[in-house]
Amino acid sequence: MATNLILGAVLLACLVAVAWPFLFYPLILRMLQTRPEQPTAGPTPSASLLFCAYNEAAAMPEKLANLAMLKARYPSLEILAFDDGSSDETAALIEAKGDLVTLLRGPGRSGKAHGMKQLAARATGEVLIFTDANVLLDEDAIGRLLARYADPQVGGVLGSLHYVGEGESATASVGSLYWRIEERLKDEESRTGNVQGADGSIFSIRRALYPDFPDSVLDDLTVSMAVVFAGRRLVKAKDAIARERLVTARKDEYRRKVRIAARSWHTHRYLSPQLRKMRTLDRFKYTSRKIVRWFGGIFILVGAVAAGTLAMRISPMLYMAGGLAVVAVVWLGLRSRGGPFAALVDVLIAYAATLQGVLRAMTGRTVTTWNPAKSR
């Protein structure tokens, strides 16, 4: 009886841990008080828009048209791009628009972090705005980011990423749902103080706060968290919108999540001394949204073992029925292109990829370069 209670407690703890970032953490955030911004009158800061590209020739015509629209709306906007040794026409396409974009070329494959550091060193804007080569910004996104710097305590501002193509596959559908949850979490984190890190699609920082860091870390997490470490606010402008096509193939999404998780954990280790010095609320947010999620795969595995052991102790028939049900769901999910079974399998695959990436980083292996997903 005591063993069954222990197994039940382990199973319950694992379920709570898996649900924590998506259910319990958001509920706690909603109970916290709003920390209002305090804007003051003054001129709008100047800005530089920066992005890195590798083999993005297919995305460049639409990207360059988007940049031309932004430049027409904001004539003083400085735009710089870094080509990370592309083997296609990416650099040539950007270079042909020399009146619009200043192109920096890398010595070969050196990685996004290296490229962003080169761009930041070259930029002259008071605010640095970071985006990706395959991301398109809404016409008013730049202005809405810059407007939030009217509060002198704001050191960095994120925008909102809206994904396109969520109905094209179960992988895309799950990715879209996950990201909508992520965006809502950032909204609540911003309302209550600081967002715990940005992604590279659309975020900005005061140039004076841009940190120094090694090429091996995740630059968007490192740069955005530098705002929090400096005692300034990292907030989100949810009306500053960027758009990006979802990855639709499982293998592309799996590789992407492994790479991001490996670099995220490597970056976490690099930032650990500063993370420990954060305020209690920020440490709670960071642990809830990042660390607990990174180890979700372990919680699922431990919970599955506890559930299986408990079922076997209660009844071998219950154990066999449960095992067959799991096998059937996985089989159906792998064969389906949509529906709840396919979505569940994609969630499990995402947790597996994240865990693999974290474990890879723990053994000292990480990734500094990237390749664009073919199924975008």
Side-chain angles (χ1 to χ4, degrees):
M1 185 67 177
T3 302
N4 288 357
L5 288 175
I6 292 172
L7 289 170
V10 170
L11 175 58
L12 179 61
C14 289
L15 290 173
V16 169
V18 171
W20 183 266
F22 308 105
L23 178 60
F24 300 107
Y25 176 49
L27 291 175
I28 292 172
L29 285 177
R30 287 170 191 165
M31 292 188 288
L32 299 179
Q33 289 185 336
T34 297
R35 184 179 171 189
E37 294 172 35
Q38 298 177 327
T40 59
T44 300
S46 59
S48 300
L49 179 64
L50 319 176
F51 70 94
C52 293
Y54 173 72
N55 284 357
E56 292 281 6
M60 272 306 107
E62 193 174 18
K63 178 69 173 181
L64 291 169
N66 182 246
L67 294 176
M69 176 269 292
L70 294 173
K71 182 71 172 178
R73 178 73 181 269
Y74 308 98
S76 63
L77 179 66
E78 179 183 45
I79 306 175
L80 299 97
F82 179 86
D83 179 72
D84 195 33
S86 296
S87 57
D88 64 5
E89 297 300 309
T90 299
L93 290 169
I94 298 174
E95 198 167 38
K97 296 291 185 179
D99 58 333
L100 175 66
V101 185
T102 300
L103 175 66
L104 279 65
R105 293 176 181 262
R109 296 308 311 274
S110 53
K112 183 183 174 186
H114 175 83
M116 282 301 188
K117 288 194 293 185
Q118 303 306 307
L119 294 174
R122 180 74 173 268
T124 60
E126 297 169 273
V127 171
L128 305 180
I129 302 173
F130 304 92
T131 188
D132 289 330
N134 62 313
V135 169
L136 305 178
L137 305 186
D138 280 8
E139 186 176 9
D140 51 8
I142 302 296
R144 289 176 172 172
L145 288 175
L146 296 180
R148 304 294 284 274
Y149 287 98
D151 182 346
Q153 281 302 306
V154 169
V157 184
L158 290 64
S160 294
L161 176 61
H162 291 193
Y163 273 120
V164 179
E166 65 177 295
E168 295 181 11
S169 71
T171 300
S173 179
V174 169
S176 177
L177 174 61
Y178 166 84
W179 199 254
R180 289 196 299 272
I181 295 171
E182 182 80 354
E183 290 291 345
R184 292 192 187 105
L185 282 176
K186 290 176 183 177
D187 290 338
E188 288 298 312
E189 287 182 343
S190 177
R191 180 185 64 79
T192 56
N194 292 314
V195 182
Q196 296 305 298
D199 72 277
S201 59
I202 176 170
F203 80 99
S204 61
I205 181 177
R206 293 186 190 270
R207 183 159 58 94
L209 298 178
Y210 193 83
D212 186 29
F213 52 90
D215 293 347
S216 58
V217 301
L218 205 60
D219 65 287
D220 42 20
L221 178 59
T222 302
V223 172
S224 57
M225 289 304 295
V227 174
V228 182
F229 299 153
R232 309 290 280 275
R233 286 194 66 182
L234 180 64
V235 300
K236 183 184 172 195
K238 61 182 179 181
D239 55 355
I241 297 171
R243 303 180 192 276
E244 179 181 358
R245 287 198 63 82
L246 283 156
V247 173
T248 59
R250 280 175 175 153
K251 63 180 181 179
D252 286 343
E253 183 67 0
Y254 190 91
R255 285 195 293 263
R256 189 181 76 89
K257 286 191 178 297
V258 170
R259 172 176 58 83
I260 291 174
R263 296 195 69 190
S264 294
W265 184 257
H266 180 74
T267 304
H268 165 75
R269 297 297 301 166
Y270 171 75
L271 297 176
S272 288
Q274 293 166 289
L275 292 169
R276 287 193 289 267
K277 297 176 183 177
M278 292 195 303
R279 296 186 312 148
T280 301
L281 177 58
D282 285 329
R283 290 201 306 272
F284 168 74
K285 288 180 175 180
Y286 184 91
T287 300
S288 295
R289 187 157 72 87
K290 295 189 177 295
I291 297 178
V292 174
R293 188 182 302 173
W294 290 337
F295 289 98
I298 288 181
F299 298 136
I300 290 174
L301 287 174
V302 172
V305 171
T309 305
L310 183 60
M312 176 63 81
R313 289 176 61 86
I314 294 173
S315 167
M317 289 297 293
L318 178 62
Y319 174 80
M320 290 181 61
L324 288 173
V326 170
V327 170
V329 168
V330 172
W331 183 78
L332 288 171
L334 290 172
R335 290 179 60 86
S336 302
R337 293 182 58 85
F341 294 138
L344 179 59
V345 167
D346 276 302
V347 169
L348 294 176
I349 288 173
Y351 271 114
T354 300
L355 181 59
Q356 181 183 340
V358 170
L359 294 177
R360 177 179 292 181
M362 286 181 166
T363 62
R365 292 179 294 167
T366 188
V367 183
T368 57
T369 58
W370 81 105
N371 290 290
K374 295 180 181 179
S375 63
R376 242 178 10 217

